[in-house]
Amino acid sequence: MKFRFESHEPEVYRRKARLISVAMAAQLIVLGMLFAQLLTRTFGSSLWLNALGVLLGLVATSLVFAALRERPWMQEMRYVWQLKHHLSRVSGYLPALRRGVAEHNHVALGILSFYHQGMAQLAELNGRTLDDDSELIAERQQLLEQRERLGLPLEVDGYDTEDLAAFKRG
């Protein structure tokens, strides 16, 4: 399966992320309180019933969220979740990928380039910079130089998830 980068407006993503976060938090509070009140009125006052009400509110909120996540207006959120998932997955292979790049493995070079581009895109979408980690910046620059020397495009459009199988995790 190939994961490809998509272009999204950072301001639109951040606005939607804030709105959805507030809406889901409000829904959790309302449903948690509603379930807690229903349980304590039915079975009497108890800390465990209040906790169960909050847990039921969390489950209900999760179900609503799961039902809504495929809506078109959630596209940016879905993309960022997928990007984070793939970056997290690749990060488990970083030592092996770095060894592969040192051995001039083109697949490792592509996946590590994806990792750095993905981290940069995620930072941009979240309104942050990557200026605080000099080692990652140096590694990214080395990757760009190596891609240029090999005549490869400086940027990748994504990565094939099956390519990670060639490397040992950790």
Side-chain angles (χ1 to χ4, degrees), residues 101 105-115 147 152 156 158-159:
V101 168
N105 182 319
H106 287 252
V107 175
L109 180 62
I111 295 173
L112 202 52
S113 296
F114 162 81
Y115 178 77
R147 292 183 71 78
L152 299 171
V156 295
Y159 88 110

Side-chain angles (χ1 to χ4, degrees), residues 31-99:
L31 289 177
M33 288 176 59
L34 178 68
F35 283 124
Q37 283 185 342
L38 288 172
L39 288 170
T40 56
R41 282 196 183 195
T42 305
F43 300 108
S45 185
S46 164
L47 176 65
W48 295 109
L49 290 176
N50 283 320
L52 179 60
V54 172
L55 181 64
L56 289 173
L58 180 63
V59 169
T61 300
S62 297
L63 291 173
V64 168
F65 193 65
L68 294 177
R69 74 175 182 206
E70 295 303 320
R71 303 286 179 169
W73 50 269
M74 292 283 285
Q75 179 182 3
E76 292 88 357
M77 301 302 291
R78 269 194 320 273
Y79 173 73
V80 170
W81 292 326
Q82 291 170 351
L83 178 61
K84 286 180 180 180
H85 167 77
H86 288 290
L87 290 173
S88 174
R89 189 165 171 223
V90 169
S91 72
Y93 291 86
L94 286 178
L97 292 170
R98 288 178 176 134
R99 284 191 300 274

Side-chain angles (χ1 to χ4, degrees), residues 1 5 11 24 50 63 80 106 109 115 119 145-146 150 157:
M1 181 175 112
F5 287 116
E11 297 81 24
M24 298 311 269
N50 283 320
L63 291 173
V80 170
H106 287 252
L109 180 62
Y115 178 77
M119 292 295 286
E145 290 169 3
Q146 190 170 358
L150 294 171
D157 64 347

Side-chain angles (χ1 to χ4, degrees), residues 131-148:
D131 296 344
D132 57 348
D133 193 343
S134 59
E135 288 180 21
L136 281 178
I137 293 170
E139 182 178 62
R140 183 174 186 194
Q141 187 60 39
Q142 289 172 350
L143 290 172
L144 289 172
E145 290 169 3
Q146 190 170 358
R147 292 183 71 78
E148 189 172 24

